Amino acid sequence: MGRFKSNKKGRVNVKPIVKKNQTNVDHVTGEKIPKSFVFSRTKLPGSVKQLQMDLRKLMLPYTALSLKEKKRNTLRDFLNVSGPMGVTHFLMLKKTASALSLRVATTPQGPTLTFKIHQYSLASDIAQSQTRPRCPPDLFKNPPLIVLAGFGTQEPHLKLATKMFQKIFPDLDANTIKLSTCQRLVLLNYNKDTKLIDFRHYSTRLQPVGVSRKLRNFVQTRKAPDLRNLQDVSDLITKAGYGSESDGDEEAATLTLSSDLGRVNKGSTKSAVKLQEIGPRMTMQLVRVEAGLCSGDILFSEDGNVDEKNKQDGDEEDASSEEGEEGSEEEGEEGSEEEGEDMDEDADD
């Protein structure tokens, strides 16, 4: 509630509480910050539902982590809410009897890219396979970096996919960015022979070169190390103690810091960049590109019959337009206001 304060005239002034909302414009680049909804329009099995939650965490902090969907929600409901909230992208999972797919669309008018997911691993599966899984509490406080490999071709659909992935995360300014905010990295590697895209999600950290693990842990945690197996206290410093998720101090993966970063990494010294996968992991293939938001002309199809598909979709649309529009309008009008409020509250959380 607001704070009440009485003045000399006996009047009551109410001091409103200002709610802190996320800004829609980057104060550095001056451009609109991309935000996303990750949802499904069909019922998902348990493992795919967890994949959806992993994708929401990956898109943090500019996504609705607790977004709730209901059966009566239509695409129009999400679109009506996305405008006032500044949502620029939809990520939609769909599971059928034969395949699992991911649609990535730009609001409000498209285009829409459809990817067929051949294989996937959850974040929990990745963590269980590691000896020392890493997930600091502030890992998802800042958006990840995006790295695209193998997309440098002249094919129009790959150019569109490159632009889509670049715009789905905020732009970075190399002159003003802080290294402390670069804690995650999303890698997409395109194989032109198999036409598959390897999707990986890593956490990043800096590690001083030439310092044993025991000494690093002592500096970070400030806890007394176990010296029972050492002949002398100097062995704690002289003995090598490597063995992280990405071992070795390779010259290509090192950098020199201009200032101190944390307790261990000091300025004017070399630090190695370490990557550790945190998931989710996907192997997918671009199978379709539509000009609109889940509709419109087909710009690319893996089958190759773009003209025939456009004609077939146009005939089906004309035949079922009246029935589809009536049904969707009735359901959308009944649930749009109620569901819009639910989405708004969840997105604020």
Side-chain angles (χ1 to χ4, degrees):
M1 294 181 62
R3 183 181 300 170
F4 292 88
K5 181 180 179 182
S6 299
N7 56 15
K8 295 181 179 180
K9 296 182 179 180
R11 296 177 182 176
V12 178
N13 297 330
V14 180
K15 184 179 179 180
I17 295 177
V18 180
K19 188 176 182 181
K20 296 182 180 179
N21 294 324
Q22 286 182 336
T23 179
N24 291 330
V25 179
D26 193 337
H27 68 282
V28 177
T29 61
E31 298 182 358
K32 185 177 180 181
I33 296 177
K35 299 181 180 180
S36 61
F37 277 166
V38 183
F39 60 94
S40 173
R41 297 171 61 192
T42 59
K43 188 176 180 179
L44 299 177
S47 59
V48 183
K49 191 74 175 178
Q50 185 58 46
L51 176 62
Q52 176 178 278
M53 183 56 64
D54 289 345
L55 288 175
R56 288 181 180 179
K57 291 185 66 177
L58 183 147
M59 299 301 296
L60 285 174
Y62 300 113
T63 192
L65 184 62
S66 303
L67 181 65
K68 297 179 181 178
E69 317 112 271
K70 294 186 178 179
K71 290 183 179 180
R72 63 169 176 254
N73 286 138
T74 62
L75 186 60
R76 185 179 300 178
D77 295 333
F78 292 98
L79 190 59
N80 291 339
V81 178
S82 65
M85 298 183 64
V87 176
T88 58
H89 294 83
F90 286 168
L91 282 76
M92 298 165 282
L93 282 169
K94 183 179 180 181
K95 180 69 172 70
T96 62
S98 58
L100 173 64
S101 63
L102 172 67
R103 280 183 169 184
V104 182
T106 303
T107 63
Q109 297 179 346
T112 303
L113 278 64
T114 302
F115 298 91
K116 180 180 179 181
I117 301 177
H118 293 271
Q119 296 176 342
Y120 70 92
S121 296
L122 303 177
S124 58
D125 300 330
I126 301 295
Q128 290 177 0
S129 65
Q130 297 173 348
T131 305
R132 288 177 293 274
R134 178 178 181 270
C135 188
D138 59 343
L139 186 61
F140 298 95
K141 187 177 179 180
N142 297 289
L145 308 176
I146 179 73
V147 176
L148 303 176
F151 286 86
T153 62
Q154 301 299 323
E155 300 181 29
H157 63 282
L158 291 180
K159 285 185 177 181
L160 187 59
T162 302
K163 186 177 180 180
M164 177 77 76
F165 286 124
Q166 288 175 341
K167 293 298 182 182
I168 206 171
F169 296 109
D171 293 333
L172 301 177
D173 189 349
N175 298 322
T176 59
I177 190 173
K178 297 181 180 179
L179 287 178
S180 59
T181 62
C182 302
Q183 298 191 36
R184 293 188 293 140
L185 182 144
V186 173
L187 171 65
L188 288 95
N189 181 36
Y190 176 74
N191 190 325
K192 63 180 180 179
D193 297 327
T194 61
K195 298 183 179 180
L196 297 179
I197 300 174
D198 294 324
F199 185 100
R200 300 290 185 270
H201 185 207
Y202 298 95
S203 68
T204 63
R205 71 182 188 276
L206 293 179
Q207 179 175 299
V209 176
V211 180
S212 66
R213 178 188 297 157
K214 291 182 180 180
L215 185 58
R216 289 198 311 268
N217 292 339
F218 173 68
V219 175
Q220 290 175 343
T221 62
R222 295 184 177 178
K223 293 182 180 180
D226 187 3
L227 305 177
R228 289 177 297 179
N229 298 326
L230 300 179
Q231 299 295 331
D232 189 83
V233 69
S234 61
D235 294 341
L236 180 67
I237 300 175
T238 58
K239 283 189 175 182
Y242 302 105
S244 62
E245 295 298 331
S246 54
D247 286 334
D249 296 326
E250 299 178 4
E251 188 67 24
T254 61
L255 55 86
T256 302
L257 299 178
S258 59
S259 60
D260 294 350
L261 185 63
R263 296 178 180 176
V264 180
N265 299 280
K266 300 299 180 180
S268 302
T269 60
K270 283 189 175 183
S271 296
V273 181
K274 300 295 181 178
L275 300 180
Q276 182 170 344
E277 188 172 5
I278 56 178
R281 176 195 301 177
M282 294 186 293
T283 301
M284 54 190 187
Q285 181 181 7
L286 180 61
V287 295
R288 191 167 182 172
V289 177
E290 297 168 281
L293 183 63
C294 300
S295 61
D297 294 339
I298 300 177
L299 305 179
F300 167 78
S301 177
E302 184 61 28
D303 299 336
N305 301 323
V306 176
D307 296 334
E308 294 181 4
K309 285 184 176 292
N310 285 331
K311 184 177 179 181
Q312 183 179 357
D313 292 344
D315 295 340
E316 291 178 357
E317 225 177 90
D318 295 338
S320 60
S321 59
E322 295 182 359
E323 297 179 1
E325 286 179 4
E326 290 176 0
S328 62
E329 285 179 2
E330 290 176 359
E331 294 180 0
E333 290 176 358
E334 291 177 359
S336 59
E337 293 185 1
E338 180 182 350
E339 301 306 327
E341 293 177 359
D342 292 341
M343 293 176 195
D344 199 354
E345 293 177 359
D346 297 330
D348 290 338
D349 295 338

